[in-house]
Amino acid sequence: MEKLFQYVYNLPQDQFNSARLHPPCAVCVAGTGSGSLSHAILRTIAPTGHLHTVEFHQQRAEKVAEEFKEHRVGHLVTVRNQDVCKDGFGVTGVADAVFLDIPSPWEAVGHAKAAMKKHGGRLCSFSPCIEQVQRTCEALTHQGFEAISTMEVLLRVHDVRTVSLPLPDFGPDASAQTEPDAREETPPTSTPNHPSITLKTTTPPREMPGHTGYLTFATKPRT
Amino acid sequence: MCFIMADCGDDDSQYRIKEGDCIVMKRGDIFKAAQIQPKKKVVFEKQWFFLDNAVGHLYGTVFETVSGGTLQPQKPKDTESSCDAKEAGTDNRNIVDDGKSQKLTRDHIEMFKKQGLKGQQIIQELIENSSTFRDKTEYAQDKYIKKKKKKYENTVTILKPSCRILAMMYHGREPGKICHLRYETLAQMLTLANVHAGSKVLVFETCAGLVLGAVMERMGGYGSVIQMYPGGTLHTTGRDSSADEKQSSMVEEEKSQPDATQQGSPEEQSMETSAGDDTGQDQEKTQEEKRKEAKAQEKKVKLEEKRKKLAAAAALLEGRNADGLVIASRFHPWPVLMGLLKFLSPSRPFVVYSQYKEPLIECYTKLKEQGGTVNLRLTDTWLRHYQVLPNRTHPLLLMSGGGGYLLSGTSVVMDRSKPTCSQQAEEPAPKRLKLTDTEG
């Protein structure tokens, strides 16, 4: 079972998100999509937590439910095929954390609040566009969330390389000419290799992801 | 460091502040840890007060400090903005910044403070005595009020410590203590090392226990965590604290099938949490045991306990089947990595944190040479915060310059018969130099 979870969900935002979770947390996620975030979350809240995930696309919902069963985590997760913006998560007052990865998260903020425990909890919303972020933050403020914070996280990979930098040949050293017999000068042309300095360093990739989405975190206070 | 694990239970008492609790005080982005002790003066952001009144309230409550140093829960009325729909200008073309627009002097403000005026009232006075406030745009007024609030409001929020809050606190106050580890880098480490309930994780850190705490928090009481640390502060039989002797014993062991209990220089301390039914309770029990231990009057009893724990830790290590390895310290990572990798099962993740890139480059190179690992990756993360306000959304003007580097990989079964020629395969060969004959 662990091996299956080994396909580490590499996006730093998801690592960031799931870092706050641990058993026995209850988490709500919308929308399920491919289920990769859900799988990552399950890894962190097993064996005593529970995941409620909502996906409005029927086929995707069925497929991901199948996958959860296949991976033997079906008992830890409930998949609901509904529109979270209209019908919410299907649970109230149980979640320690809510994740929103949908096009209109501001429409789900109220439902997220209802799904969360009365003691409070954390919410995280992921949106590619700043306009979505603005609307979501407004909705969060309106619904009484606190500590609203938006950020972006990018992973940078460093390629370790051995680099050999040749030393330029600027001709014989001027001071050496005053004592031509003092030392044997090996004319540069006779050396098989030009001198160079080799070093181990890292290079960034030519191109790297510049943006995936903005992460907005907020805390629901005790209600 | 007193560490209380975040609890997801529904019991209200878990959410109430109790005497003796370790808490974190917060104002804006400033955090500070403290312990609630009766009649103990606490200083936070140039103010001193007693935490006694906080006991019994819920975590997350915002308090105001009143004169005399007592805390009072902030009433919701007080948080209302004093700036209701007021007149505002359209732009700053006529506003002259001569530093004379505020009529109140420092003395006036000190007097207000002595009179016991609340932060909100002081701000109101400042607004009324500012000749340019009315001319500012609404946004500029908001910004002005926010700035004054930061300076004059005397509120403090009492929070329950969690890995996230402590990480932010350390990063803001004493980053040196945690090797400048930024929170999201720590979060990455937990995921890269696949820390989860039921696993056996090896931790080597000098980050004030933050990394260890994060690992334990994530495991929720299931599985075991073995913390390794160098040097000899413990004197137990069969263990020698002098570095030299350890060095030599290590060499010997390499040659003669080492006994796991005597492995090298790192001393072992087990933080074993039993695979049990109670999650939060087990953690607290371990905490309590340690506290009790510290107070133990019989030195023999103390030693005996420690000996048992070390033996238990050694037993855990003996199998060399740890599920994950996490390293984050001020020491050069290579010797640590080299020494601890052997305790990992094959096909298990490890992650090494370093404030600097070069030591990790060295680790990468050496790991490639000696084999036994795959999927080596050297990464760091870029993090930027945003201000999100209507018509005023933009990234913040200052951002974190860096949060350290991570080297991660997976252990594999070492095939000792073949020398690893993967080094050349993984790394493109340096380009061959073209010889240009210029000399004549």
Side-chain angles (χ1 to χ4, degrees):
Chain A
M1 183 160 131
E2 275 164 35
K3 290 268 174 73
L4 290 164
F5 290 150
Q6 250 352 234
Y7 71 101
V8 177
Y9 199 39
N10 267 329
L11 291 174
Q13 57 257 22
D14 300 291
Q15 291 166 357
F16 202 171
N17 289 339
S18 44
R20 304 154 192 268
L21 305 176
H22 51 81
C25 285
V27 184
C28 288
V29 168
T32 323
S34 60
S36 34
L37 173 62
S38 299
H39 275 92
I41 290 174
L42 283 169
R43 221 178 351 144
T44 60
I45 61 175
T48 47
H50 199 88
L51 173 65
H52 298 273
T53 183
V54 174
E55 171 56 52
F56 66 2
H57 191 280
Q58 191 185 1
Q59 277 168 334
R60 268 206 296 261
E62 283 169 8
K63 182 161 190 263
V64 85
E66 268 299 309
E67 277 174 18
F68 289 138
K69 280 207 197 86
E70 259 175 63
H71 299 158
R72 284 170 285 159
V73 288
H75 61 292
L76 293 171
V77 61
T78 307
V79 180
R80 287 183 177 84
N81 176 213
Q82 59 196 51
D83 182 349
V84 68
C85 299
K86 293 207 184 80
D87 310 311
F89 288 93
V91 286
T92 43
V94 303
D96 297 288
V98 173
F99 292 93
L100 298 173
D101 186 0
I102 54 177
S104 315
W106 57 92
E107 290 176 11
V109 167
H111 292 295
K113 189 178 175 187
M116 289 167 90
K117 286 182 174 158
K118 78 169 173 107
H119 301 295
R122 289 284 282 178
L123 178 143
C124 174
S125 173
F126 178 70
S127 296
C129 301
I130 198 69
E131 296 85 356
Q132 294 167 305
V133 172
Q134 286 176 305
R135 289 203 194 103
T136 307
C137 286
E138 220 178 294
L140 287 169
T141 312
H142 188 65
Q143 291 279 351
F145 280 80
E146 295 169 348
I148 302 168
S149 160
T150 301
M151 65 197 73
E152 48 178 354
V153 184
L154 291 174
L155 189 70
R156 282 203 300 219
V157 181
H158 301 266
D159 292 330
V160 180
R161 291 267 176 277
T162 306
V163 166
S164 226
L165 298 174
L167 291 170
D169 182 10
F170 290 129
D173 195 353
S175 59
Q177 282 175 346
T178 55
E179 294 175 37
D181 306 304
R183 44 183 126 133
E184 273 177 39
E185 269 187 51
T186 341
T189 43
S190 68
T191 56
N193 302 307
H194 280 225
S196 63
I197 292 183
T198 303
L199 39 94
K200 270 252 181 240
T201 181
T202 65
T203 59
R206 249 191 96 184
E207 265 191 346
M208 60 176 261
H211 180 69
T212 49
Y214 300 100
L215 280 169
T216 302
F217 292 96
T219 303
K220 174 190 166 293
R222 187 188 171 95
T223 44
Chain B
M1 183 188 85
C2 185
F3 186 87
I4 296 177
M5 199 182 79
D7 196 291
C8 294
D10 267 8
D11 185 6
D12 217 32
S13 70
Q14 301 278 8
Y15 298 89
R16 293 205 178 269
I17 303 168
K18 292 183 274 293
E19 195 179 290
D21 277 358
C22 289
I23 53 110
V24 173
M25 299 176 287
K26 168 177 142 73
R27 181 186 293 168
D29 290 326
I30 314 287
F31 299 83
K32 185 176 179 180
Q35 190 177 20
I36 306 221
Q37 282 166 353
K39 308 236 172 27
K40 183 178 173 200
K41 205 193 274 189
V42 160
V43 173
F44 178 53
E45 288 298 281
K46 296 184 187 161
Q47 286 189 324
W48 61 265
F49 44 86
F50 300 102
L51 292 168
D52 299 55
N53 282 11
V55 177
H57 287 275
L58 290 166
Y59 275 105
T61 308
V62 183
F63 295 90
E64 271 179 337
T65 50
V66 291
S67 55
T70 47
L71 290 178
Q72 251 183 32
Q74 189 184 51
K75 300 187 186 76
K77 259 190 266 174
D78 298 351
T79 61
E80 265 170 35
S81 171
S82 62
C83 182
D84 302 322
K86 280 198 176 84
E87 53 178 308
T90 43
D91 56 42
N92 65 357
R93 69 183 82 198
N94 294 322
I95 301 180
V96 178
D97 185 12
D98 55 7
K100 295 183 192 153
S101 48
Q102 180 54 249
K103 301 289 171 263
L104 293 175
T105 63
R106 198 176 185 77
D107 291 334
H108 282 120
I109 296 172
E110 289 304 317
M111 189 181 66
F112 290 148
K113 281 188 184 171
K114 282 202 187 112
Q115 286 174 356
L117 246 63
K118 292 198 179 144
Q120 195 64 15
Q121 292 167 300
I122 294 178
I123 294 168
Q124 192 59 37
E125 291 287 337
L126 285 165
I127 291 172
E128 281 165 19
N129 283 284
S130 163
S131 57
T132 49
F133 188 82
R134 255 167 292 131
D135 301 324
K136 290 181 198 270
T137 63
E138 234 180 272
Y139 298 151
Q141 287 177 349
D142 266 356
K143 196 171 173 181
Y144 180 89
I145 292 172
K146 226 183 206 171
K147 193 170 149 196
K148 296 305 173 192
K149 264 193 184 160
K150 211 174 172 181
K151 199 168 175 188
Y152 294 110
E153 256 188 4
N154 47 4
T155 55
V156 59
T157 312
I158 306 281
L159 296 172
K160 194 165 187 179
S162 72
C163 154
R164 171 179 72 93
I165 289 168
L166 289 168
M168 293 202 289
M169 181 187 84
Y170 273 112
H171 193 70
R173 293 189 86 84
E174 290 173 293
K177 271 201 173 171
I178 55 167
C179 304
H180 292 83
L181 176 66
R182 205 168 54 193
Y183 176 61
E184 101 294 341
T185 309
L186 175 59
Q188 279 221 12
M189 288 168 72
L190 294 177
T191 306
L192 287 169
N194 195 16
V195 176
H196 60 277
S199 53
K200 186 193 287 186
V201 185
L202 242 69
V203 176
F204 181 98
E205 62 115 299
T206 59
C207 297
L210 182 66
V211 174
L212 180 65
V215 169
M216 286 169 67
E217 193 188 61
R218 176 100 132 180
M219 292 169 64
Y222 296 95
S224 52
V225 182
I226 304 167
Q227 183 192 17
M228 314 280 273
Y229 56 90
T233 48
L234 301 166
H235 282 275
T236 54
T237 55
R239 207 160 296 283
D240 205 285
S241 48
S242 74
D244 295 55
E245 293 216 31
K246 282 204 204 87
Q247 282 284 30
S248 58
S249 67
M250 206 176 158
V251 170
E252 280 164 30
E253 280 154 8
E254 289 288 89
K255 295 176 188 161
S256 58
Q257 288 303 307
D259 175 339
T261 56
Q262 302 242 351
Q263 264 313 327
S265 43
E267 289 282 3
E268 296 148 16
Q269 183 185 39
S270 167
M271 305 281 277
E272 184 169 357
T273 57
S274 53
D277 334 89
D278 315 20
T279 56
Q281 275 186 17
D282 269 355
Q283 286 295 334
E284 296 197 67
K285 250 196 237 163
T286 323
Q287 293 281 339
E288 216 164 309
E289 271 166 33
K290 278 156 68 192
R291 265 183 244 136
K292 283 183 187 161
E293 249 179 75
K295 291 177 186 169
Q297 283 160 26
E298 296 284 343
K299 277 193 179 179
K300 279 185 188 176
V301 174
K302 230 202 271 186
L303 271 175
E304 191 52 44
E305 292 265 7
K306 284 188 176 162
R307 213 180 293 137
K308 276 189 197 160
K309 274 195 175 175
L310 287 167
L316 277 174
L317 279 177
E318 212 163 342
R320 298 199 181 196
N321 55 3
D323 299 305
L325 171 60
V326 179
I327 297 171
S329 77
R330 63 180 196 275
F331 295 102
H332 194 292
W334 176 241
V336 183
L337 189 56
M338 188 173 62
L340 297 180
L341 262 179
K342 53 170 85 73
F343 294 109
L344 263 189
S345 280
S347 191
R348 291 290 184 273
F350 63 89
V351 62
V352 185
Y353 166 83
S354 173
Q355 192 183 345
Y356 308 101
K357 214 189 340 175
E358 286 73 10
L360 294 179
I361 294 177
E362 212 181 299
C363 290
Y364 181 103
T365 310
K366 289 187 170 146
L367 283 176
K368 278 264 186 262
E369 279 168 18
Q370 76 173 28
T373 57
V374 292
N375 289 343
L376 290 176
R377 238 167 54 128
L378 181 53
T379 61
D380 80 320
T381 46
W382 183 89
L383 175 70
R384 189 157 79 171
H385 286 256
Y386 280 69
Q387 164 183 289
V388 179
L389 290 171
N391 299 313
R392 289 161 285 172
T393 300
H394 58 73
L396 291 185
L397 302 185
L398 276 186
M399 65 180 268
S400 167
Y405 299 85
L406 290 180
L407 175 67
S408 61
T410 311
S411 60
V412 291
V413 175
M414 188 97 98
D415 186 0
R416 289 192 189 276
S417 54
K418 291 188 209 144
T420 45
C421 42
S422 56
Q423 186 197 359
Q424 267 79 57
E426 294 282 355
E427 212 187 277
K431 282 203 177 127
R432 267 207 291 181
L433 300 167
K434 280 189 185 163
L435 294 174
T436 50
D437 286 306
T438 53
E439 265 47 57

